[in-house]
């Protein structure tokens, strides 16, 4: 069985993606400005998408980056909910 390893910059990019998604989600829940929360969520989705593409050979890194994308989607959903209610 062949094992694919990723470089340290790829791992760092995946963790940055996760932390960006978590920060965007926390900001969306705490802040009273949904416009900024939506922008942060979209930025985190872009960062996460790029990280997923970069780490597609390693399942562990892909899972970390995907977690960031999921949290960013939650941030966008919360921001949109706040905008329209």
């Amino acid at each position: 069985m062949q094992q694919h390893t990723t470089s340290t910059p790829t791992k760092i990019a995946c963790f940055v993606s996760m932390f960006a998604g978590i920060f965007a989600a926390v900001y969306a829940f705490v802040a009273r400005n949904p416009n900024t929360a939506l922008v942060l969520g979209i930025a985190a989705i872009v960062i996460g998408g790029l990280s997923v593409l970069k780490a597609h050979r390693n399942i562990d890194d892909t899972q970390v980056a995907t977690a960031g994308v999921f949290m960013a989607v939650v941030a966008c959903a919360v921001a949109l909910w706040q905008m329209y209610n």
Side-chain angles (χ1 to χ4, degrees):
M1 187 163 154
Q2 191 176 28
Q3 182 178 0
H4 294 286
T5 59
T6 55
S7 63
T8 302
T10 303
K11 289 187 182 297
I12 291 171
C14 293
F15 280 106
V16 167
S17 166
M18 185 179 68
F19 291 131
I22 291 170
F23 177 75
V26 169
Y27 185 83
F29 279 109
V30 173
R32 298 287 182 216
N33 189 355
N35 293 330
T36 306
L38 186 62
V39 169
L40 287 175
I42 291 170
I45 288 173
V46 169
I47 292 169
L50 293 174
S51 297
V52 167
L53 290 176
K54 188 166 177 65
H56 72 278
R57 292 182 186 252
N58 188 332
I59 190 69
D60 295 331
D61 293 341
T62 305
Q63 288 175 345
V64 171
T66 304
V69 171
F70 176 76
M71 293 304 293
V73 169
V74 169
C76 289
V78 169
L80 290 172
W81 181 265
Q82 288 176 352
M83 279 183 189
Y84 295 110
N85 279 334

